[in-house]
Amino acid sequence: MIGIDEALDTVLAEVEPLGSERVPLLEALGRACAADVVSPEAVPGFTNSAMDGFAVRGEDLAGGRREFAVVAEIPAGRPNARHLFAGESAKIMTGAPLPPGADTVVPVELTVALEGGVLLTEAPAPGSNVRLAGEDLAPGDVLLERGDRVGPAEIGLLASVGVEALAVARRPRVAVLATGSELVPPGQPLAPGQIRNSNSFTAYAQVLGAGGDPVLLGIAPDDVAETRRLLAAALEQDVVLTSGGVSVGEFDFVKQVQEELGVERRFWGVKTKPGKPLAFGVRGGTLVFGVPGNPVAAMVSFELYIRPALLALQGRRDLYRPYVVARAAEPVRAAKGRTELRRCRLTREGGAWSFTTTGPQGSGILRSMALADGLAIVPTRHPAGPAGEELPVQLLEGSTTQRPPYPA
Ligand code: AMP
Ligand code: MG
């Protein structure tokens, strides 16, 4: 069996970034930019006032003048105010174009109104409270780079320079197939011995969260022919995510059927708990993941390997979850010979992060995942480490370029 780093490197080595498509600005939200975007416009487009106040000539202030005639009023959106000469000012609003001749704005708070004029109680430095044309962005400045995630601020930035559409990476299509004759979808009654299919739901949500396009293929019963039929359909997509049937049970057919369908195995088995019997292979350009059936094992396998792979397919560079170093609030164990990913909650205590395990950690106990902020990465050297020991905790939100430290 291999460690997490080796498994992750093996998966990422098989990734060929997908092509791109042009989409309207708002549809780019959450997608990966597929080509650098340069600004077509300058920001600000014209020199304007940063405050509500009075536009004046800096040389008048420097010369000691404190009393000005008010010769114009300039609201935002109104260009072409007349030139200001010595001793003149214009009442001006935030965002309004500075009149020619003026280079400084005196905030209204530093003024007293006079009949036909204004008196300054304080003089700002010449040039202050003005936003110069092009001081934020010049035409041609790079706004987004290929591989950047388009979030709310990026959408706003592009809108601010008039970009209406851009090239984003195609969303990887991920076939989601649950295996197991015991599985029943919600909405159907449970017969004795049956359980609910939850893996298709968590996988669907996780795929969406990683920018993928989930294609639900339902449930394959533990029957070779039916598994073969559904897996063959799944292999049409960019990524296949089956759950269950990859362990050593009598009815675990998934690996066998993968092989029959031409999937080249890259590894089977990773030294982790949960998630040990993970199977990964490729067929043509399709990445084929067989995650274990236990719901937490399936979700943790997604977090560790499939999420980075889906982001890499979109050309993203921030493939990993951020991590924090936190103190164990109680002694934590790790499985023998395996790195344990304990679902935990983070709290801040005395200026440091501390984590507590979210109750029983069985790989079928989805509640341990639902309650969690992150996965504590517990190396195998323990039977049980001391309370207070520091361990990395990989969060269940966010993205960064820095991979968490996984034990070999
Ligand atoms: P398997 O990996 O197929 O041996 O399944 C391991 C455990 O996970 C068994 O208890 C299964 O019933 C359960 N399981 C498998 N698939 C699912 C699923 N889609 N939803 C919920 N539990 C599942
Ligand atoms: Mg099964």
Side-chain angles (χ1 to χ4, degrees), residues 179-182 222 244-245 251-252:
T179 75
S181 296
E182 74 279 27
D222 294 320
F251 299 95
D252 289 341

Side-chain angles (χ1 to χ4, degrees), residues 178-179 182-183 195-200 243-247 252 292-295:
T179 75
E182 74 279 27
L183 300 176
I195 64 160
R196 300 274 178 210
N197 168 22
S198 59
N199 288 348
S200 295
S243 68
V246 281
S247 199
D252 289 341
N294 269 310

Side-chain angles (χ1 to χ4, degrees), residues 127-151:
S128 44
N129 305 314
V130 165
R131 304 187 282 217
L132 296 175
E135 75 176 14
D136 297 342
L137 294 173
D141 280 358
V142 176
L143 301 177
L144 290 186
E145 286 179 39
R146 182 190 162 84
D148 284 348
R149 177 178 187 276
V150 182

